[in-house]
Amino acid sequence: MAVFWYRLFWRECGTYGLTVDQKIDVLVRLSKLSLKCAYWTADEHTVIEDGKTLSELFPELIPANLCKKHMHLNKLTGLLVYAMHTEIADEIFSLAREGKLTEEQVRKLAI
């Protein structure tokens, strides 16, 4: 049930907080991280990589940084990041299918 609310948050608030280039950067970094560990099982205190939590690795995804309505949410959990990862991927690949990405943006996606 939580994933539903996280997806709803992203669609209503999160997607507008980042540019397409920022979304591509985050998508590439999340994809690389998902090859190294199961980050989606992490809580807000779990050390993921290089002694950092998800909030430290992806400060641009913290809900409080994306919109004023969610200023009380200042930490990331694995499930929230997973929902954002799938939503960002869907957005970016939809833009790619529609031919709305530049060649440079498409090159960045080729990880």
Side-chain angles (χ1 to χ4, degrees):
M1 187 67 172
V3 172
F4 168 79
W5 293 111
Y6 293 155
R7 289 184 192 285
L8 187 63
F9 158 74
W10 181 258
R11 291 175 186 171
E12 288 184 1
C13 300
T15 188
Y16 304 107
L18 299 174
T19 66
V20 172
D21 287 325
Q22 289 172 316
K23 289 176 189 176
I24 290 170
D25 177 58
V26 167
L27 180 59
V28 169
R29 289 172 30 226
L30 281 169
S31 296
K32 289 178 180 178
L33 182 63
S34 70
L35 296 173
K36 297 177 186 177
C37 67
Y39 71 81
W40 46 88
T41 62
D43 66 17
E44 62 187 39
H45 305 290
T46 304
V47 173
I48 300 292
E49 185 178 69
D50 298 329
K52 296 182 179 180
T53 64
L54 287 170
S55 297
E56 294 166 328
L57 290 170
F58 299 97
E60 63 269 58
L61 293 182
I62 295 173
N65 295 342
L66 292 171
C67 78
K68 292 178 182 176
K69 180 179 174 182
H70 293 90
M71 291 298 285
H72 60 287
L73 299 172
N74 59 5
K75 299 280 185 194
L76 293 173
T77 64
L79 194 56
L80 174 58
V81 173
Y82 172 77
M84 290 178 171
H85 187 174
T86 58
E87 289 295 312
I88 292 170
D90 184 56
E91 281 183 46
I92 295 301
F93 291 116
S94 290
L95 290 172
R97 280 190 300 274
E98 295 167 9
K100 295 181 178 178
L101 296 180
T102 66
E103 287 183 34
E104 182 182 332
Q105 290 170 326
V106 172
R107 248 191 317 275
K108 286 180 187 177
L109 290 171
I111 31 180

